PDB file of all heavy atoms in Angstrom:
ATOM      1  N   ARG A  41      -0.092  12.139   1.033  1.00  0.00           N
ATOM      2  CA  ARG A  41       0.491  11.735   2.313  1.00  0.00           C
ATOM      3  C   ARG A  41      -0.607  11.405   3.320  1.00  0.00           C
ATOM      4  O   ARG A  41      -0.533  10.399   4.012  1.00  0.00           O
ATOM      5  CB  ARG A  41       1.395  12.828   2.862  1.00  0.00           C
ATOM      6  CG  ARG A  41       2.003  12.440   4.208  1.00  0.00           C
ATOM      7  CD  ARG A  41       2.955  13.459   4.726  1.00  0.00           C
ATOM      8  NE  ARG A  41       4.150  13.457   3.877  1.00  0.00           N
ATOM      9  CZ  ARG A  41       5.041  14.432   3.863  1.00  0.00           C
ATOM     10  NH1 ARG A  41       4.870  15.481   4.632  1.00  0.00           N
ATOM     11  NH2 ARG A  41       6.087  14.353   3.083  1.00  0.00           N
ATOM     12  N   LYS A  42      -1.633  12.245   3.363  1.00  0.00           N
ATOM     13  CA  LYS A  42      -2.724  12.025   4.305  1.00  0.00           C
ATOM     14  C   LYS A  42      -3.441  10.705   4.013  1.00  0.00           C
ATOM     15  O   LYS A  42      -3.694   9.907   4.894  1.00  0.00           O
ATOM     16  CB  LYS A  42      -3.717  13.182   4.229  1.00  0.00           C
ATOM     17  CG  LYS A  42      -4.892  13.057   5.161  1.00  0.00           C
ATOM     18  CD  LYS A  42      -5.841  14.240   5.005  1.00  0.00           C
ATOM     19  CE  LYS A  42      -7.063  14.061   5.858  1.00  0.00           C
ATOM     20  NZ  LYS A  42      -8.036  15.129   5.655  1.00  0.00           N
ATOM     21  N   VAL A  43      -3.756  10.456   2.748  1.00  0.00           N
ATOM     22  CA  VAL A  43      -4.438   9.225   2.352  1.00  0.00           C
ATOM     23  C   VAL A  43      -3.538   8.031   2.616  1.00  0.00           C
ATOM     24  O   VAL A  43      -3.979   7.008   3.135  1.00  0.00           O
ATOM     25  CB  VAL A  43      -4.856   9.287   0.866  1.00  0.00           C
ATOM     26  CG1 VAL A  43      -5.304   7.937   0.367  1.00  0.00           C
ATOM     27  CG2 VAL A  43      -5.954  10.314   0.675  1.00  0.00           C
ATOM     28  N   SER A  44      -2.273   8.158   2.270  1.00  0.00           N
ATOM     29  CA  SER A  44      -1.325   7.058   2.439  1.00  0.00           C
ATOM     30  C   SER A  44      -1.179   6.699   3.913  1.00  0.00           C
ATOM     31  O   SER A  44      -1.180   5.529   4.278  1.00  0.00           O
ATOM     32  CB  SER A  44       0.028   7.465   1.859  1.00  0.00           C
ATOM     33  OG  SER A  44       0.985   6.484   2.100  1.00  0.00           O
ATOM     34  N   GLU A  45      -1.040   7.691   4.773  1.00  0.00           N
ATOM     35  CA  GLU A  45      -0.870   7.436   6.205  1.00  0.00           C
ATOM     36  C   GLU A  45      -2.124   6.845   6.821  1.00  0.00           C
ATOM     37  O   GLU A  45      -2.056   5.908   7.599  1.00  0.00           O
ATOM     38  CB  GLU A  45      -0.484   8.729   6.926  1.00  0.00           C
ATOM     39  CG  GLU A  45       0.929   9.182   6.622  1.00  0.00           C
ATOM     40  CD  GLU A  45       1.236  10.555   7.190  1.00  0.00           C
ATOM     41  OE1 GLU A  45       0.334  11.186   7.784  1.00  0.00           O
ATOM     42  OE2 GLU A  45       2.385  11.001   7.035  1.00  0.00           O
ATOM     43  N   SER A  46      -3.282   7.374   6.458  1.00  0.00           N
ATOM     44  CA  SER A  46      -4.514   6.889   7.063  1.00  0.00           C
ATOM     45  C   SER A  46      -4.898   5.514   6.537  1.00  0.00           C
ATOM     46  O   SER A  46      -5.570   4.753   7.214  1.00  0.00           O
ATOM     47  CB  SER A  46      -5.656   7.882   6.830  1.00  0.00           C
ATOM     48  OG  SER A  46      -5.971   7.962   5.464  1.00  0.00           O
ATOM     49  N   SER A  47      -4.457   5.189   5.331  1.00  0.00           N
ATOM     50  CA  SER A  47      -4.800   3.898   4.739  1.00  0.00           C
ATOM     51  C   SER A  47      -4.107   2.737   5.435  1.00  0.00           C
ATOM     52  O   SER A  47      -4.576   1.615   5.385  1.00  0.00           O
ATOM     53  CB  SER A  47      -4.425   3.874   3.258  1.00  0.00           C
ATOM     54  OG  SER A  47      -5.173   4.820   2.560  1.00  0.00           O
ATOM     55  N   TYR A  48      -2.978   3.003   6.067  1.00  0.00           N
ATOM     56  CA  TYR A  48      -2.197   1.922   6.620  1.00  0.00           C
ATOM     57  C   TYR A  48      -2.077   1.985   8.144  1.00  0.00           C
ATOM     58  O   TYR A  48      -1.240   1.328   8.710  1.00  0.00           O
ATOM     59  CB  TYR A  48      -0.803   1.899   5.988  1.00  0.00           C
ATOM     60  CG  TYR A  48      -0.866   1.647   4.513  1.00  0.00           C
ATOM     61  CD1 TYR A  48      -0.661   2.673   3.602  1.00  0.00           C
ATOM     62  CD2 TYR A  48      -1.168   0.387   4.026  1.00  0.00           C
ATOM     63  CE1 TYR A  48      -0.733   2.435   2.243  1.00  0.00           C
ATOM     64  CE2 TYR A  48      -1.252   0.147   2.670  1.00  0.00           C
ATOM     65  CZ  TYR A  48      -1.028   1.173   1.789  1.00  0.00           C
ATOM     66  OH  TYR A  48      -1.112   0.933   0.447  1.00  0.00           O
ATOM     67  N   GLU A  49      -2.899   2.786   8.778  1.00  0.00           N
ATOM     68  CA  GLU A  49      -2.848   2.848  10.235  1.00  0.00           C
ATOM     69  C   GLU A  49      -3.505   1.625  10.833  1.00  0.00           C
ATOM     70  O   GLU A  49      -4.606   1.242  10.465  1.00  0.00           O
ATOM     71  CB  GLU A  49      -3.566   4.105  10.740  1.00  0.00           C
ATOM     72  CG  GLU A  49      -2.700   5.337  10.700  1.00  0.00           C
ATOM     73  CD  GLU A  49      -3.365   6.518  11.382  1.00  0.00           C
ATOM     74  OE1 GLU A  49      -4.171   6.314  12.298  1.00  0.00           O
ATOM     75  OE2 GLU A  49      -3.058   7.638  10.965  1.00  0.00           O
ATOM     76  N   ILE A  50      -2.797   0.984  11.725  1.00  0.00           N
ATOM     77  CA  ILE A  50      -3.325  -0.175  12.435  1.00  0.00           C
ATOM     78  C   ILE A  50      -3.227   0.145  13.915  1.00  0.00           C
ATOM     79  O   ILE A  50      -2.167   0.546  14.409  1.00  0.00           O
ATOM     80  CB  ILE A  50      -2.512  -1.446  12.108  1.00  0.00           C
ATOM     81  CG1 ILE A  50      -2.576  -1.743  10.609  1.00  0.00           C
ATOM     82  CG2 ILE A  50      -3.008  -2.624  12.920  1.00  0.00           C
ATOM     83  CD1 ILE A  50      -1.702  -2.882  10.171  1.00  0.00           C
ATOM     84  N   SER A  51      -4.322  -0.023  14.622  1.00  0.00           N
ATOM     85  CA  SER A  51      -4.327   0.294  16.047  1.00  0.00           C
ATOM     86  C   SER A  51      -3.393  -0.660  16.790  1.00  0.00           C
ATOM     87  O   SER A  51      -3.087  -1.768  16.318  1.00  0.00           O
ATOM     88  CB  SER A  51      -5.739   0.177  16.617  1.00  0.00           C
ATOM     89  OG  SER A  51      -6.137  -1.185  16.646  1.00  0.00           O
ATOM     90  N   ASP A  52      -2.950  -0.237  17.952  1.00  0.00           N
ATOM     91  CA  ASP A  52      -2.080  -1.084  18.777  1.00  0.00           C
ATOM     92  C   ASP A  52      -2.774  -2.394  19.128  1.00  0.00           C
ATOM     93  O   ASP A  52      -2.141  -3.449  19.173  1.00  0.00           O
ATOM     94  CB  ASP A  52      -1.659  -0.345  20.050  1.00  0.00           C
ATOM     95  CG  ASP A  52      -0.687   0.785  19.752  1.00  0.00           C
ATOM     96  OD1 ASP A  52      -0.037   0.753  18.682  1.00  0.00           O
ATOM     97  OD2 ASP A  52      -0.562   1.704  20.588  1.00  0.00           O
TER      98      ASP A  52
END
Side-chain angles (χ1 to χ4, degrees):
R41 179 177 291 164
K42 180 181 176 184
V43 169
S44 175
E45 289 172 357
S46 66
S47 296
Y48 298 105
E49 277 188 28
I50 300 174
S51 70
D52 290 339

